[in-house]
Amino acid sequence: MSNDVWVVAEHARGQLSESTLETVGKGRELAHATGGKLVALLLTDDERNQINSLAAADLILLARRPEFREFTPEAYGGAIEAALKEAPPRLVLMGSTSVGLDLLSVLSARTGFACLDSCTRLDLRASQLLATCQIYGGKLFVEVALSSATTLVAVVPGSFAKPADQPSGRPEVRELTLPADLPVSRITFHRLIEPPSGDVDITKVPILVAVGRGIQNADNLPLAGELAEALGGAVCASRPVIDQGWLPLTRQVGKSGMTVKPKLYLALGISGAPEHLEGMKQSELIVAVNTDPKAPIFGAAHYGAVTDVVELIPMLTEEARKQGLKKAS
Amino acid sequence: MNIAVLTKQVADLVEGIEIDASGRAVDRDSIRYILSESDDHALEEALLLKERSQAHVEVFSLETGEVRDGLCTALAKGADRVVMILAGQETPPSNHAAARMFASVLKGLPFDLILTGVRAIDDLDGSVGGLLAGYLGLPYVGLVRKVELVDGAATVEKEYPGGFAAELGVKLPAVLGIQAAEQPPRYVPVTRLRQVMKTAQVEEQEAEPASEEPVSVERMYKPEEGAGAAMLSGSAEEIARQIVNLLSERRVTR
Ligand SMILES: Cc1cc2nc3c(=O)[nH]c(=O)nc-3n(C[C@H](O)[C@H](O)[C@H](O)COP(=O)(O)OP(=O)(O)OC[C@H]3O[C@@H](n4cnc5c(N)ncnc54)[C@H](O)[C@@H]3O)c2cc1C
Ligand SMILES: Nc1ncnc2c1ncn2[C@@H]1O[C@H](COP(=O)(O)O)[C@@H](O)[C@H]1O
C-alpha cells in the first residue's frame, strides 16, 4: 500500500484555488511524515500558470485536454477514477467546494473507497490518520479514524494555513495517460455566468451589518438597513435570507457567496455554520449577537452578546446616531 | 417527464443536540426532526418543473426519523405520489447504505430526473445524491440553483463562490443535488395539511438490505463553550451601548 497523498487541484478562471494551496500544504506534511509523496493531480487545458503554484508537490500528474478548461463533474470524475484505480494512494484530498462536492461521493461509489466530507482537521497520531469533521452546522465535531486503505476526504476551505514559503525544488511532472475508452461525458459546459452587477460590492465595504435567519422576517430588514446607514456601512446576509428572496445574491456571504474581510462584521442572528464562516472569519473585528449562547458563531467572534436582534438593532442604530459614529467616518 | 425527489428529516438545530453514552453517536431521543432545508428546495424545484412541463413528481423517504408528516406535506404541496422506503433496521443507515437502498428501489424505474438536497447537516460519509448517481451510473451535478428542461436534456445552473455560476447541459436521466430552488419553497396552510393527512396515502416499499459502514467514528464532541468571543452582558440597551462604545474606542468607523 502506498503512503502517498493526492490533492485534486482545483482552478477557476485559470488560477489555482486557495483551498488547493491549503490542502497541498497539509497533504505534504502528512505524506512526508508517513514516508509517502505528495502528488498533485492537475486536470487542465493549460498548466503553465498553475504548475508554479504547485511547487510544494513531489509529483504533478498532469492531464491536459481542451475539455478540462472548465470543470464538469463527469469528465473530471472519469479521469480521476481511472487514475485512482491504477495506483490507489493512502489519502485523496479535495476541497469541500462546488468542485470537490461533485467529485467526492460519485468517486467513492465508483471506486469503493471510503469518503468523508466537512473535514477541518487532519492529524497523525501513533501512525493512525485521524480526520475531524464538523457537522450539524458546526455544533458537533466527529473524529474519524481513516482505517481504510484509501480514503477520499473533502476539506473545508480555510481549515489549513497556506504555506508561507514555496519549496525551491521543482516537482516532477508526469503526463497522466487516460484510458482510450473513457466514456463520453454526459455533462457539457455551456457558459460562465458572471455575478450580477450594479449592486454595492460588499467585498469593498469596511463595515458590514450581516443578518441571518434570526432577523425573523422581511419586514425587519429595513431595521438592518438603518443600522448600516448609521454606521456608514452596508447590509449583507447568510444564505437563508438570500434564498427567501429578502436580499439579492450579491449580498450573500459564505461558501457560495462572497468572501469578505471588513474592518467590522456585525453578525446578527447568524448561527455560524461552517459554510458561512468560510466567507467572513478573516474579518478584522467580528461582533456576534444571537439568542443561542451555544451558537457556533461565538467561536469565531471577538465579541458576543446573547440577546434578541430584532429588539437590539433599533437600539444600536439610536446609540450609533447619538454617538455620531458615522460623522467620524 | 418523471421526477423522483428524495427527502430526509434532520435534527432541528434550534433544539440542542446531545451525544449518547457511547460518545460516538448522536442521542436520537434528543432530536426534534424537521425536513432538511435543501430538500425543501429540491421539492420546490420539482414542483416548478411539474407546473412548467407537466412532470409527474414522486417523493421518496427512507424510514428514519419521522418521515410520514414530511411526505404528507409533500402531497399537500402537489407531489403526485409519496413512498416510504422500509430500511429494515433500527439505526439510521450510513449515507453509503442509504444510497444503496435507494439504488435498489429506483433502479429500473423510468425516472428522468432524481432530485436530492445538495447536502444535509448530518452528512459525514458523502452525499446520497452523488453516491446514488455513482451506483446507478448516472451523471451528477450538485450545488444546482435552477433547472430547465430542453429537448430531453436538462440545462442547470451550478453555483460557484463569489456570485459566479456555470450553465451546464446534462443528459437525462440524471441526479441533481439542489442547493436552492428558483423561488422560496411554497408554504402549506395548516388546515390544508390536516385535510390531506386524513386521506393521504403513504405507500411503503422494501429496499434491499445494505450494511455498508465505511467510517469508524472514534468520538464526537461539542465545541468548547465560551471559547472565542468575549461576552457582553446586561440589558439589550446596555449591550447596544457597549457595542457602540467598542466601535467608537477602536475607531472602527473612521
Ligand atoms: C453547499 C452549501 C453551500 C452553502 N453556502 C452558504 C453560503 O454561502 N452562505 C451561508 O450563509 N450559508 C451557506 N450554506 C448554508 C449554511 O450551512 C447554513 O445553513 C446557513 O449559513 C445558516 O444561516 P443562518 O445562520 O442565518 O440560519 P440558522 O442556522 O437558522 O441560524 C439562525 C440563528 O439565529 C438565531 N436567532 C433566532 N432568532 C433570533 C433572534 N430573535 N435574535 C437573535 N438571534 C436569533 C438562532 O439562535 C440561530 O443561531 C451553504 C450550505 C451548503 C450545504
Ligand atoms: N434517509 C434518507 N431518506 C431520503 N432522502 C435522503 C436520505 N438520506 C439522504 N437523502 C437525500 O440525499 C440528500 C443529501 O443528504 P446527505 O447525503 O445526508 O448529505 C438529502 O438532502 C436527501 O435528498
Side-chain angles (χ1 to χ4, degrees):
Chain A
M1 188 187 77
S2 131
N3 276 330
D4 290 354
V5 176
W6 285 16
V7 169
V8 177
E10 198 180 302
H11 49 88
R13 298 176 292 288
Q15 295 294 317
L16 274 195
S17 76
E18 290 282 302
S19 75
T20 296
L21 304 179
E22 294 161 9
T23 33
V24 163
K26 188 69 192 180
R28 178 184 164 93
E29 180 193 314
L30 292 174
H32 290 187
T34 52
K37 286 199 297 285
L38 190 274
V39 181
L41 195 59
L42 178 60
L43 282 66
T44 184
D45 66 322
D46 180 358
E47 73 281 11
R48 280 171 301 179
N49 282 330
Q50 297 159 358
I51 269 191
N52 291 337
S53 313
L54 292 171
D58 300 304
L59 170 68
I60 297 173
L61 284 178
L62 172 69
R64 188 194 312 109
R65 287 189 172 191
E67 66 265 34
F68 292 152
R69 181 184 178 85
E70 302 285 349
F71 173 72
T72 56
E74 220 179 7
Y76 271 59
I80 299 170
E81 180 187 335
L84 276 175
K85 283 178 171 166
E86 175 107 7
R90 174 79 185 83
L91 195 61
V92 184
L93 302 178
M94 54 194 95
S96 182
T97 57
S98 192
V99 169
L101 288 175
D102 277 12
L103 295 172
L104 179 81
S105 308
V106 179
L107 280 174
S108 174
R110 308 281 306 161
T111 57
F113 299 147
C115 78
L116 276 182
D117 188 11
S118 305
C119 170
T120 55
R121 268 188 77 135
L122 284 163
D123 297 289
L124 190 64
R125 218 176 288 156
S127 67
Q128 168 71 67
L129 268 174
L130 292 165
T132 304
C133 303
Q134 242 181 342
I135 57 171
Y136 290 115
K139 287 197 159 186
L140 274 191
F141 289 101
V142 188
E143 203 176 86
V144 179
L146 304 185
S147 43
S148 316
T150 302
T151 308
L152 319 175
V153 177
V155 176
V156 176
S159 300
F160 303 120
K162 203 167 77 180
D165 51 330
Q166 287 278 14
S168 50
R170 287 220 150 253
E172 180 194 347
V173 179
R174 199 182 298 161
E175 299 243 350
L176 192 65
T177 29
L178 298 176
D181 59 347
L182 267 189
V184 177
S185 169
R186 290 162 291 185
I187 302 172
T188 45
F189 177 83
H190 289 173
R191 66 187 178 106
L192 184 72
I193 302 168
E194 303 268 340
S197 60
D199 191 23
V200 195
D201 181 357
I202 57 167
T203 64
K204 303 220 160 69
V205 177
I207 294 180
L208 288 175
V209 173
V211 293
R213 206 190 323 250
I215 193 78
Q216 311 290 335
N217 57 57
D219 297 343
N220 292 329
L221 270 167
L223 300 177
E226 283 165 31
L227 175 57
E229 163 72 28
L231 295 174
V235 179
C236 62
S238 65
R239 163 134 231 158
V241 172
I242 309 293
D243 284 348
Q244 287 300 318
W246 299 345
L247 280 173
L249 194 64
T250 41
R251 304 292 179 113
Q252 183 173 317
V253 172
K255 185 190 277 302
S256 37
M258 306 297 166
T259 298
V260 298
K261 295 173 191 168
K263 282 166 79 178
L264 169 69
Y265 193 86
L266 196 52
L268 304 172
I270 292 178
S271 63
E275 295 83 4
H276 187 78
L277 297 185
E278 219 180 287
M280 47 62 73
K281 68 177 180 193
Q282 292 184 55
S283 305
E284 281 175 40
L285 177 67
I286 302 170
V287 180
V289 182
N290 197 303
T291 42
D292 175 6
K294 294 185 175 158
I297 190 75
F298 293 127
H302 303 98
Y303 291 91
V306 176
T307 190
D308 181 339
V309 293
V310 180
E311 189 190 357
L312 182 77
I313 293 173
M315 295 175 180
L316 280 170
T317 308
E318 198 192 313
E319 190 63 33
R321 284 185 184 143
K322 208 156 79 191
Q323 295 200 22
L325 276 200
K326 190 189 166 186
K327 261 194 237 116
S329 69
Chain B
M1 174 64 51
N2 290 308
I3 304 177
V5 184
L6 312 186
T7 66
K8 106 180 203 184
Q9 303 283 316
V10 294
D12 184 352
L13 291 180
V14 171
E15 312 287 317
I17 293 170
E18 300 305 326
I19 297 164
D20 76 6
S22 76
R24 294 175 174 194
V26 168
D27 175 7
R28 279 184 291 130
D29 293 336
S30 74
I31 293 179
R32 206 192 79 178
Y33 288 95
I34 52 166
L35 179 64
S36 179
E37 191 167 7
S38 51
D39 297 7
D40 207 9
H41 285 272
L43 176 59
E44 181 61 36
E45 195 64 28
L47 295 173
L48 290 174
L49 290 172
K50 172 176 173 168
E51 287 162 6
R52 280 193 223 133
S53 44
Q54 288 82 47
H56 175 83
V57 175
E58 299 190 14
V59 180
F60 294 83
S61 287
L62 266 187
E63 172 204 26
T64 53
E66 290 142 25
V67 301
R68 201 170 281 272
D69 287 5
L71 288 173
C72 289
T73 308
L75 272 180
K77 285 184 173 185
D80 297 295
R81 178 173 178 246
V82 298
V83 182
M84 179 160 82
I85 297 179
L86 305 178
Q89 60 185 69
E90 269 281 298
T91 49
S94 70
N95 279 351
H96 281 70
R100 282 269 189 220
M101 290 188 229
F102 278 120
S104 76
V105 169
L106 297 174
K107 182 181 57 197
L109 295 183
F111 286 110
D112 304 285
L113 269 179
I114 300 172
L115 304 188
T116 72
V118 64
R119 188 173 75 188
I121 51 170
D122 56 355
D123 173 11
L124 188 61
D125 64 317
S127 289
V128 166
L131 291 164
L132 177 64
Y135 291 142
L136 292 176
L138 297 178
Y140 174 75
V141 182
L143 283 90
V144 168
R145 67 172 187 207
K146 186 176 183 184
V147 183
E148 272 176 346
L149 299 169
V150 190
D151 301 333
T155 301
V156 308
E157 277 183 30
K158 171 177 173 57
E159 286 192 349
Y160 284 111
F164 287 90
E167 186 187 283
L168 303 175
V170 189
K171 283 204 179 138
L172 304 182
V175 182
L176 301 177
I178 303 292
Q179 170 87 72
E182 285 156 64
Q183 63 180 43
R186 62 197 68 191
Y187 172 78
V188 190
V190 180
T191 44
R192 162 112 182 99
L193 183 58
R194 286 220 188 94
Q195 206 183 353
V196 168
M197 278 177 139
K198 275 186 211 145
T199 55
Q201 260 225 310
V202 177
E203 291 177 42
E204 295 182 2
Q205 206 170 326
E206 266 175 48
E208 279 170 28
S211 59
E212 262 149 283
E213 194 50 75
V215 302
S216 52
V217 173
E218 294 280 303
R219 65 182 180 120
M220 275 191 189
Y221 58 98
K222 294 187 182 184
E224 202 184 319
E225 215 179 310
M231 299 304 281
L232 311 171
S233 56
S235 67
E237 264 157 355
E238 283 158 2
I239 288 171
R241 201 170 315 121
Q242 290 175 70
I243 291 176
V244 175
N245 286 345
L246 193 75
L247 304 186
S248 219
E249 281 159 26
R250 293 182 148 231
R251 300 172 172 255
V252 170
T253 49
R254 299 211 171 173

